[in-house]
């Protein structure tokens, strides 16, 4: 079992930055993903990082603006969001996948554990 708690969401003006954190408890050695869901839209992949090697992958919509890092000693994953746009407004979720894969999965169904989500609102 893995429990995930996100924090760091809030309201920010366009062009601003936020850093989300996802603290995991329970089993470690998981690949982690960040997803988001805006009202009326499906949940979409934002980015992810592997346990082994720290390989990261990003959605095209956030490449160059968002960065993912992890502190395995603290069992915490971070999503640094820069140059935020109004279209980034959504509830952001972190998710865990118990795998040793060196590849990040973009499929939300591949992740068994989810946090409660944190709201990010970007004003224009």
């Amino acid at each position: 079992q893995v429990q995930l708690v996100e924090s760091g969401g809030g309201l920010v003006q366009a062009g601003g930055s936020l850093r989300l954190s996802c603290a995991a408890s329970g089993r470690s050695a998981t690949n982690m993903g960040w997803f988001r869901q805006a009202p009326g839209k499906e949940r979409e992949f934002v980015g992810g990082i592997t346990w082994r090697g720290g390989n990261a992958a990003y959605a095209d919509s956030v490449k160059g603006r968002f960065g993912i890092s992890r502190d395995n000693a603290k069992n915490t994953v971070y999503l640094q969001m820069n140059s935020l746009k109004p279209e980034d407004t959504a509830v952001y979720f972190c998710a865990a996948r118990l795998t040793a894969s060196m590849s990040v999965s973009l499929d939300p169904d591949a992740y068994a554990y989810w946090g409660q989500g944190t709201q990010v609102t970007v004003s224009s």
Side-chain angles (χ1 to χ4, degrees):
Q1 287 283 358
V2 178
Q3 294 79 42
L4 304 172
V5 178
E6 302 102 333
S7 60
L11 173 64
V12 64
Q13 288 189 333
S17 298
L18 281 175
R19 188 177 82 155
L20 305 184
S21 299
C22 175
S25 59
R27 291 185 60 179
S28 59
T30 61
N31 286 6
M32 301 295 292
W34 285 98
F35 293 80
R36 67 187 181 187
Q37 188 165 19
K41 295 188 176 181
E42 292 188 354
R43 191 167 297 189
E44 66 172 352
F45 173 79
V46 175
I49 190 166
T50 62
W51 170 261
R52 291 171 57 201
N55 300 322
Y58 301 92
D60 288 344
S61 59
V62 306
K63 277 181 184 176
R65 300 189 297 123
F66 290 12
I68 294 176
S69 60
R70 68 186 301 163
D71 184 335
N72 288 344
K74 295 182 179 180
N75 230 5
T76 300
V77 176
Y78 304 96
L79 179 66
Q80 178 67 44
M81 305 185 293
N82 300 322
S83 302
L84 283 161
K85 305 175 181 180
E87 51 264 43
D88 294 318
T89 295
V91 177
Y92 284 70
F93 299 88
C94 68
R97 183 181 179 214
L98 297 179
T99 178
S101 172
M102 294 289 283
S103 298
V104 173
S105 175
L106 281 61
D107 181 3
D109 290 337
Y111 295 83
Y113 303 97
W114 292 81
Q116 80 286 355
T118 185
Q119 177 70 46
V120 172
T121 303
V122 184
S123 63
S124 57

